[in-house]
């Protein structure tokens, strides 16, 4: 039985789907029982628990052969303080449940303790969960292609791709489909000790490449547009992003621009199979162009 956290999110959902497709027994951990209908229909078990509740999480992890663990994206408060609290609670729960195997979602660039904004929270998350199970793997993924869905409405209505990334800078990006498949694959492998598995797409991509993929799918030109650094905090504030979260997110883009979002040459590295065009096609299929969005990636 594999336990999956964050099943209603991007990475967790794809990990659960991939495990089910492999014929594995899956238990998804959700905040509310009513969120579980689709998973029950797919044959998964449901456990209701708050990830910050060590007692409830220990119960959810009991009897598992392995688990996919993650630090959910911050939505409010201090992301760094929240990581400390959540990581400590989750580590306590895993040890109390005697979890034998863990795959922990992380990010490329998490080797850096500072200078990477919100990614630095995953450096700390890795430290808190290091050794949480006899077999522990940290899955450091590239920039999620599906994150571009946050500006897809703007692309579709204006043929412009707003970006906080320097348009020509290629970085590791990956579809969350590949993230889920990689997580499932590692969970089903046998090993002991600590592993760091870095994951990217078939090749590294830039914002210009993303714009070209949108253009291919939409059948018309799309141009990337760099949002100046001095305008970014205002844009995030207009989108309702709290100041502490915005600071962490903006710090990530500074780290990327400074070349810190890079693989480590001595780490295990895998590439997924989902093309950029296929991932963007899926993004467009899930977006209804109901007006302009001003957020940027």
């Amino acid at each position: 039985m594999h336990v999956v956290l964050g099943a209603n999110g991007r990475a967790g959902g794809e990990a659960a789907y991939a495990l089910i497709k492999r014929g594995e027994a899956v238990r998804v951990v959700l905040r509310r029982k009513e969120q579980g209908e689709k998973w029950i229909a797919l044959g998964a078990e449901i456990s209701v628990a708050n990830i910050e509740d060590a007692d409830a999480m220990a119960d959810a992890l009991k009897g598992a052969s392995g688990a996919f663990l993650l630090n959910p994206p911050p939505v409010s408060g201090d992301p760094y303080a929240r990581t400390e609290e959540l990581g400590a609670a989750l580590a306590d729960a895993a040890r109390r449940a005697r979890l034998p195997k863990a795959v922990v979602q992380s990010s490329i660039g998490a080797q850096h303790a500072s200078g990477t904004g919100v990614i630095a929270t995953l450096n700390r998350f890795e430290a808190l969960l290091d050794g949480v199970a006899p077999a522990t793997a940290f899955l450091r993924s590239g920039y999620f292609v599906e994150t571009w869905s946050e500006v897809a409405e703007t692309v579709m209505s204006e043929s412009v791709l707003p970006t906080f990334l320097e348009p020509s800078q290629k970085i590791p990006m990956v579809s969350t489909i590949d993230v889920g498949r990689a997580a499932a694959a590692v969970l089903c492998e046998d090993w002991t000790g600590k592993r760091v598995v870095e994951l990217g797409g078939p090749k590294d991509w830039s914002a210009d490449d993303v714009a070209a993929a949108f253009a291919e799918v939409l059948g018309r030109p799309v141009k990337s547009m760099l949002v100046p650094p001095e305008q970014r905090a205002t844009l995030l504030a207009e989108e309702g992003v709290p100041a502490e979260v915005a600071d962490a997110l903006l710090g990530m883009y500074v780290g990327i621009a400074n070349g810190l979002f890079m693989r480590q040459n001595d780490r295990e590295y895998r590439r997924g199979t989902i093309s950029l065009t296929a991932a963007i096609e899926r993004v467009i299929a899930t977006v209804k162009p109901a007006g302009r969005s001003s957020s940027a990636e």
Side-chain angles (χ1 to χ4, degrees), residues 71 74 79-80 83 112-113 116-126 248:
N71 183 13
Y80 305 96
T83 295
H112 302 291
T116 57
V118 71
I119 295 174
T121 65
L122 296 174
N123 175 277
R124 183 56 183 157
F125 194 63
E126 287 190 12

Side-chain angles (χ1 to χ4, degrees), residues 178-192:
D178 282 328
V179 175
R181 290 174 179 174
V186 175
L187 272 172
C188 293
E189 294 169 1
D190 292 322
W191 85 94
T192 57

Side-chain angles (χ1 to χ4, degrees), residues 222-247:
V222 173
K223 182 178 181 180
S224 60
M225 179 186 70
L226 180 66
V227 178
E230 62 272 15
Q231 297 178 12
R232 297 173 186 177
T234 299
L235 285 175
L236 293 180
E238 290 173 351
E239 292 292 333
V241 180
E244 288 180 304
V245 175
D247 286 345

Side-chain angles (χ1 to χ4, degrees), residues 32-48:
R32 297 184 300 277
K33 185 177 180 179
E34 59 269 23
Q35 295 176 319
E37 292 182 2
K38 67 179 181 181
W39 296 109
I40 292 173
L42 291 170
E45 287 187 13
I46 301 299
S47 181
V48 179

Side-chain angles (χ1 to χ4, degrees), residues 49-79:
N50 188 317
I51 194 171
E52 292 92 352
D53 185 335
D55 292 335
M57 284 303 306
D59 288 339
L61 293 170
K62 282 182 180 176
S65 58
F68 178 71
L69 309 177
L70 49 70
N71 183 13
V75 293
S76 63
D78 181 348

Side-chain angles (χ1 to χ4, degrees), residues 118-224:
V118 71
I119 295 174
T121 65
L122 296 174
N123 175 277
R124 183 56 183 157
F125 194 63
E126 287 190 12
L128 290 165
L129 271 68
D130 194 3
V132 76
T136 303
F138 297 101
L139 182 61
R140 293 181 181 172
S141 301
Y143 190 97
F144 291 171
V145 174
E146 286 75 9
T147 305
W148 295 96
S149 64
E150 296 170 14
V151 293
E153 288 185 6
T154 298
V155 176
M156 296 169 72
S157 63
E158 301 182 17
S159 297
V160 171
L161 178 80
T163 176
F164 289 177
L165 299 172
E166 197 286 318
S168 65
Q169 182 183 8
K170 292 184 183 292
I171 63 171
M173 293 190 198
V174 63
S175 169
T176 52
I177 296 174
D178 282 328
V179 175
R181 290 174 179 174
V186 175
L187 272 172
C188 293
E189 294 169 1
D190 292 322
W191 85 94
T192 57
K194 175 182 176 179
R195 293 169 68 184
V196 174
V197 181
E198 297 187 316
L199 177 69
K203 59 177 67 174
D204 290 354
W205 295 308
S206 67
D208 281 343
D209 293 326
V210 174
F214 270 107
E216 181 177 349
V217 176
L218 294 173
R220 52 186 163 84
V222 173
K223 182 178 181 180
S224 60

